[in-house]
């Protein structure tokens, strides 16, 4: 099916199942421990051996020699894989570093060997017996130091200039110019990167934790140099990803190599420190923002420059992208510079670009508003735009940012906000902060197969994944709505490369795109049902488990016949996304308390207002947003990968040293979804929301801290040491 004109009324608009707050259909399996994750497929790969990966002890240089004799002689050892015996490996499409290093070392904890043994303990013990001599080389590990050597990235990350930014900024009656920084962040999901690999002849099956099955299948095939048709990836349940499992990683490739070397299935899970230093992370940024305005607060010039780093061949953290679209202004500049850093690979993490970019931009908007003596919300509303500022002929398909700010201000009690350091509650300094939320909508082609059997059961198959986001449920809701059956009459099968290729889970495109693919397949199935019954498909109604046309009504199960019916289709897109700027919007409100004596920060309240098209399941969507708000709070107050700038590794590479929010850190969170449908995005009229929820949260927290204390911090995370000697005196 080709979606190239805005959607009109269709079966989804019945809203009998879609749009309802359903419990997750996979919830009982997950809460009872019967959902099978990557490392737990014991039944499909019996007699599996265990792999334990040895990571490089240096960040840059070469392996001078590697001694395996003691490890080979250790109890239970079946095989040892290194670059010397792995055969020719090709770097995949989505990894910057080689997934098996040697003799060249590209980053700390790059995999350099894997021991395969009868038990995990034997594999780990044997790995400790491998003797490696390194020739260490000088590396670059500090973004601040490397900033001056950074260059303009290639590809589509060129500077963007509209009008005369330099001239307009110089001439602006009010000028604001400040620099902000965000640190490296880790995904820190609960489930480690894990895989089980098994060969059957020349066909490889990998049970793994992967968000994008088709991408992963292609990368496994490319890396190992085997035909893609000989690779199957299976990933029905994923225990969190946040972008860290978008791409195939070391565990999958070395499990496959180990299984081939040992002649039996091999299972591999990365230890927690490897998840920080071996897999991708969100790169640190340095961001300079300049805003020039008229005396009454209208932006005439806005510039956003960002510096980040990655391994050679990597890409930038696209922290300036939202600034191209969020606020009006005739003269504009966005620019990114990329430094070469010999740290572990930088790559996608929840809302790449916008999450750290808004952490800077939305503080800058507050600071500029203060300079203008304007309320921060009034300043944002004044500079709203209903068109792409760089292409005024291109309108936003939907843009309710001002409505988000207005409703949020009313619900949160914004009118009670005082001047900075103007409100105390005992020993606590209390303040409120706000930030706009923005994330682009992306449509990805997505396919599905839908089956109808003689019992009236509808089965959906697609390689779409569920990373804890509720995909199983919204896919089932879509099929139920389209076929006129209750939710319990739908079976959903996900995460298998033998199924039709879907959008996958990433970039906030999964929900709308994957359900649109199911919609397309259901349209074909409806046509097949109508044809079998001799109905006119144009006036056929599917409801209450029956098919009705005119005065005839037949049970859906009967239409299936003895052999059932199967339909498959793919949703593809025309140029609507070029005609309209498709984006999601929101507003975050935060209240904090700061201890006037110790500078301890406590978040007291959080509110998110979201405008993101049709919300397919408000219950699971709310879970996505409050989870994102929690991540945003972590980014604001505690998360920071500490770089050892001498030896090039993340020191706090576990959940003891890398702090993330816990229950005690997060107070009441409220989420409000605005009524909205966007007919330009798909027949579902939906958009994504899972990444919108993190965008702007960090700045809202920072702005609240400033309002509470009168102390402005521009370097994240905002820890008490950055406040304590600058706080107003105790009353």
């Amino acid at each position: 099916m080709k979606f190239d004109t805005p959607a009109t009324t269709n079966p989804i608009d019945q809203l009998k199942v879609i749009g309802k707050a359903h419990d997750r259909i996979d919830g009982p399996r997950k809460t009872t421990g019967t959902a099978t994750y990557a490392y737990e497929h014991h039944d499909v790969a019996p007699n599996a051996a265990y792999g334990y990966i040895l990571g490089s002890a240096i960040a840059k240089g070469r392996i001078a020699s590697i001694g395996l004799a003691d490890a080979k002689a250790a109890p239970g050892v079946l095989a040892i894989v290194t670059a010397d015996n792995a055969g020719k490996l090709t770097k995949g499409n989505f990894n910057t570093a080689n997934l098996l290093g040697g003799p060249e070392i590209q980053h700390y904890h790059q995999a350099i060997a894997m021991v395969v043994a009868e038990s995990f303990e034997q594999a780990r013990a044997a790995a400790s017996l491998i003797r490696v001599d390194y020739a260490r080389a000088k590396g670059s590990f500090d973004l601040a130091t490397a900033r001056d050597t950074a260059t303009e990235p290639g590809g589509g990350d060129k500077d963007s200039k509209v009008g005369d930014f330099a001239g307009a900024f110089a001439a602006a009656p009010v000028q604001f110019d400040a620099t902000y920084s965000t640190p490296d962040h880790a995904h820190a999901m609960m489930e480690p990167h894990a895989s089980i690999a098994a060969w059957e002849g020349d066909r490889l099956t990998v049970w793994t934790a992967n968000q994008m099955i088709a991408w992963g299948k292609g990368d496994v095939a490319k890396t190992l140099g085997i035909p893609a048709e000989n690779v199957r990836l299976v990933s029905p349940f994923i225990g969190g990803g946040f972008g860290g499992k978008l791409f195939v990683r070391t565990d999958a490739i070395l499990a496959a190599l180990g299984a081939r070397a040992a002649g039996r299935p091999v299972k591999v899970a990365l230890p927690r420190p490897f998840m920080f230093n071996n897999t991708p992370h969100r790169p640190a940024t340095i961001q300079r923002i300049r805003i020039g305005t008229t005396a009454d607060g209208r932006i005439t010039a806005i510039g956003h420059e960002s510096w980040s780093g990655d391994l050679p061949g990597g890409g930038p953290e696209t922290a300036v992208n939202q600034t191209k679209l969020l606020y009006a202004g005739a003269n504009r500049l966005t620019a990114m510079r990329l430094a070469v850093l010999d740290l572990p690979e930088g790559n996608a993490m929840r809302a790449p670009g916008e999450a750290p970019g808004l952490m800077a931009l939305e503080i800058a908007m507050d600071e500029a508003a203060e300079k203008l003596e304007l309320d921060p919300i009034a300043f944002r509303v004044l500079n709203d735009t209903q068109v792409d500022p760089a292409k005024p002929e291109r309108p936003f398909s939907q843009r309710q940012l001002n409505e988000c700010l207005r409703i949020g201000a009313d619900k949160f009690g914004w009118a009670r906000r005082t001047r900075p350091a103007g409100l105390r509650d005992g020993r606590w300094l209390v303040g409120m902060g706000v930030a706009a939320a923005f994330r682009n909508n992306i449509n990805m082609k997505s396919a599905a197969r839908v089956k109808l059997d003689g019992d009236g059961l509808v089965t959906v198959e697609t390689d779409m994944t569920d990373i804890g986001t509720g995909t199983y449920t919204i896919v089932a809701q879509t099929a139920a709505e389209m076929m006129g059956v209750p939710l319990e009459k739908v079976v959903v099968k996900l995460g298998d490369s033998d199924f039709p290729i879907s959008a996958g889970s990433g970039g906030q495109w999964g929900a709308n795109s994957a359900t649109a693919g199911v919609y397309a397949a259901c349209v074909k199935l409806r046509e097949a049902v109508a044809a079998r019954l001799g109905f006119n498909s144009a006036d056929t109604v599917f409801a209450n488990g029956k098919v009705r046309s005119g005065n005839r009504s037949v049970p859906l199960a009967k239409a299936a016949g003895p052999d059932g019916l199967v339909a498959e289709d793919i949703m593809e897109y025309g140029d609507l996304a070029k005609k309209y700027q498709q984006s999601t919007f929101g507003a975050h409100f935060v209240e904090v308390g700061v201890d006037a004596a110790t500078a301890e920060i406590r978040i007291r309240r959080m509110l998110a207002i979201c405008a993101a098209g049709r919300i397919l399941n408000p219950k699971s969507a709310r879970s996505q947003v409050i989870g994102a708000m929690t991540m945003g709070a972590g980014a604001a107050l505690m998360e920071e990968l500490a770089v050892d700038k001498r030896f090039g590794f993340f020191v706090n590479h576990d959940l003891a040293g890398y702090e993330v929010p816990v229950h005690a850190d997060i107070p009441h969170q409220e989420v409000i979804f605005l009524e909205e449908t966007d007919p330009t995005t798909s027949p579902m009229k939906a958009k994504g929301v899972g990444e919108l929820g993190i965008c702007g949260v960090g700045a809202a927290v920072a702005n609240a801290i400033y309002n509470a204390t009168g102390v402005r911090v521009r370097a994240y995370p905002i820890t008490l040491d950055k406040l304590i000697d600058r706080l107003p005196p105790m009353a």
Side-chain angles (χ1 to χ4, degrees):
M1 177 180 288
K2 186 73 170 287
F3 184 76
D4 52 9
T5 58
T8 55
T9 302
N10 64 52
I12 293 296
D13 295 324
Q14 299 173 102
L15 301 181
K16 294 178 180 178
V17 191
I18 284 290
K20 306 301 182 186
H22 286 285
D23 291 345
R24 301 185 191 205
I25 63 173
D26 53 316
R29 293 187 64 185
K30 290 181 175 177
T31 55
T32 58
T34 56
T36 307
Y37 290 84
Y39 203 65
E40 301 171 340
H41 289 274
H42 312 298
D43 55 333
V44 295
N47 196 33
Y50 292 78
Y52 190 88
I53 295 173
L54 179 68
S56 170
I58 66 169
K60 188 176 178 64
R62 291 176 58 86
I63 295 175
S65 65
I66 183 166
L68 305 177
D70 291 346
K72 287 180 178 178
V77 171
L78 302 171
I80 300 177
V81 176
T82 69
D84 292 333
N85 63 10
K88 179 176 172 54
L89 301 179
T90 303
K91 190 157 59 176
N93 294 318
F94 300 106
N95 54 288
T96 302
N98 292 321
L99 297 181
L100 177 60
E104 296 295 328
I105 298 299
Q106 296 167 285
H107 63 86
Y108 181 79
H109 261 178
Q110 182 177 23
I112 60 172
M114 185 180 75
V115 176
V116 180
E118 293 287 355
S119 72
F120 170 81
E121 292 79 7
Q122 288 173 329
R124 181 177 59 183
S128 70
L129 300 177
I130 297 175
R131 300 290 175 252
V132 186
D133 291 324
Y134 298 97
R136 191 190 303 269
K138 184 178 180 181
S140 176
F141 310 124
D142 182 16
L143 177 61
T145 302
R147 176 179 175 179
D148 292 339
T149 66
T151 58
E152 184 176 4
D157 295 317
K158 301 289 186 182
D159 293 358
S160 173
K161 300 177 182 179
V162 178
D164 176 14
F165 167 77
F169 182 75
V174 181
Q175 300 172 355
F176 174 78
D177 183 349
T179 298
Y180 306 85
S181 65
T182 64
D184 298 286
H185 287 158
H187 296 88
M189 72 289 287
M190 283 205 310
E191 181 198 24
H193 293 74
S195 297
I196 301 175
W199 293 85
E200 186 176 348
D202 58 1
R203 181 171 171 79
L204 170 67
T205 300
V206 183
W207 295 266
T208 189
N210 184 266
Q211 297 173 225
M212 303 289 295
I213 297 298
W215 292 4
K217 174 178 176 174
D219 256 17
V220 168
K222 182 178 179 182
T223 302
L224 299 179
I226 60 178
E229 58 268 24
N230 287 354
V231 177
R232 181 186 177 204
L233 254 62
V234 184
S235 191
F237 296 103
I238 302 169
F242 312 125
K245 294 172 183 171
L246 277 176
F247 319 119
V248 162
R249 305 310 310 175
T250 302
D251 57 294
I253 297 301
L254 288 188
L257 292 171
R260 186 164 63 186
R264 56 193 273 196
V266 168
K267 59 193 310 182
V268 178
L270 297 188
R272 187 65 60 174
F274 268 59
M275 294 174 63
F276 289 78
N277 279 301
N278 178 273
T279 71
H281 71 286
R282 191 196 300 281
T285 69
I286 299 170
Q287 302 177 51
R288 182 189 184 192
I289 297 177
R290 287 175 283 175
I291 301 172
T293 74
T294 61
D296 64 354
R298 295 189 182 275
I299 294 174
T300 57
I302 185 166
H304 191 165
E305 300 161 272
S306 177
W307 290 259
S308 61
D310 201 0
L311 291 165
E317 178 70 25
T318 55
V320 304
N321 280 358
Q322 72 288 319
T323 308
K324 298 176 182 179
L325 293 162
L326 191 49
Y327 298 112
N331 303 284
R332 318 176 68 84
L333 166 69
T334 60
M336 290 178 285
R337 295 295 179 264
L338 180 63
V340 172
L341 294 180
D342 300 301
L343 293 172
E345 178 182 342
N347 215 315
M349 181 172 167
R350 197 174 198 168
E354 286 92 342
L358 284 163
M359 289 172 75
L361 176 64
E362 288 299 290
I363 294 182
M365 289 295 290
D366 259 43
E367 293 200 68
E370 183 177 48
K371 198 168 188 178
L372 289 157
E373 299 183 350
L374 286 175
D375 176 84
I377 292 177
F379 181 48
R380 289 172 171 85
V381 169
L382 180 65
N383 289 287
D384 185 47
T385 174
Q386 293 296 312
V387 299
D388 179 341
K391 301 174 183 176
E393 71 281 1
R394 184 169 176 251
F396 284 92
S397 60
Q398 297 281 349
R399 182 180 167 113
Q400 294 198 75
L401 175 59
N402 286 355
E403 193 72 357
C404 291
L405 291 164
R406 182 189 66 78
I407 292 174
D410 180 61
K411 296 286 186 183
F412 204 69
W414 185 255
R416 299 194 298 272
R417 179 176 176 268
T418 67
R419 61 176 173 78
L423 180 62
R424 291 179 182 259
D425 179 10
R427 64 186 295 160
W428 295 94
L429 303 165
V430 180
M432 294 184 193
V434 68
F438 172 93
R439 177 76 170 153
N440 273 333
N441 179 72
I442 302 172
N443 300 320
M444 297 282 281
K445 64 181 182 180
S446 192
R449 182 184 304 125
V450 186
K451 301 176 180 180
L452 174 65
D453 69 15
D455 294 323
L457 196 69
V458 177
T459 299
V460 183
E461 296 175 342
T462 171
D463 80 356
M464 181 61 186
T465 51
D466 190 322
I467 56 175
T469 48
T471 305
Y472 277 98
T473 309
I474 59 172
V475 165
Q477 287 177 263
T478 304
E481 193 78 77
M482 291 295 292
M483 302 309 300
V485 298
L487 207 58
E488 57 267 21
K489 295 291 284 186
V490 180
V491 174
V492 179
K493 298 180 179 180
L494 301 180
D496 190 327
S497 63
D498 283 352
F499 297 156
I501 296 173
S502 74
S505 297
Q508 196 176 265
W509 61 61
N512 180 49
S513 299
T515 54
V518 175
Y519 173 97
C522 286
V523 167
K524 274 203 167 182
L525 183 58
R526 286 163 61 106
E527 292 170 350
V529 168
R532 175 163 287 183
L533 295 174
F535 288 177
N536 179 0
S537 62
D539 65 4
T540 301
V541 176
F542 290 73
N544 303 317
K546 297 181 179 180
V547 188
R548 188 178 71 251
S549 179
N551 60 0
R552 293 182 58 198
S553 179
V554 178
L556 183 63
K558 185 175 180 181
D563 299 324
L565 286 171
V566 180
E568 183 176 329
D569 203 1
I570 183 170
M571 181 63 74
E572 299 181 283
Y573 295 88
D575 62 354
L576 286 176
K578 294 181 180 178
K579 293 178 180 178
Y580 300 94
Q581 175 56 46
Q582 298 176 354
S583 304
T584 60
F585 296 91
H588 288 289
F589 292 81
V590 173
E591 180 181 280
V592 302
V594 180
D595 190 297
T598 67
E600 176 189 356
I601 302 166
R602 284 290 173 189
I603 296 176
R604 293 184 162 200
R605 294 186 292 140
M606 303 181 81
L607 167 66
I609 313 291
C610 301
R614 171 173 284 150
I615 302 301
L616 303 176
N617 183 339
K619 189 169 189 176
S620 57
R622 179 183 180 276
S623 290
Q624 282 295 285
V625 174
I626 65 173
M629 293 162 72
T630 301
M631 289 185 75
L637 299 178
M638 57 191 71
E639 293 190 44
E640 178 179 19
L641 283 169
V643 180
D644 186 313
K645 296 173 183 177
R646 304 162 302 162
F647 299 117
F649 67 97
F650 299 131
V651 180
N652 53 337
H653 49 219
D654 55 37
L655 291 179
Y658 183 82
E659 296 183 10
V660 297
V662 296
H663 288 299
D665 298 311
I666 303 301
H668 176 70
Q669 297 170 311
E670 186 177 357
V671 180
I672 297 172
F673 297 112
L674 297 193
E675 289 291 331
E676 178 178 292
T677 57
D678 192 334
T680 72
T681 65
S682 80
M684 306 301 295
K685 304 174 186 175
K687 299 174 186 174
V689 76
E691 293 180 295
L692 179 70
I694 194 175
C695 294
V697 176
V701 174
N703 291 334
I705 291 170
Y706 173 74
N707 182 242
T709 64
V711 178
R712 178 62 73 184
V713 179
R714 295 176 177 145
Y716 290 96
I718 304 174
T719 46
L720 60 85
D721 57 296
K722 297 172 183 175
L723 294 172
I724 194 164
D725 60 353
R726 302 165 63 190
L727 292 177
M730 293 281 288

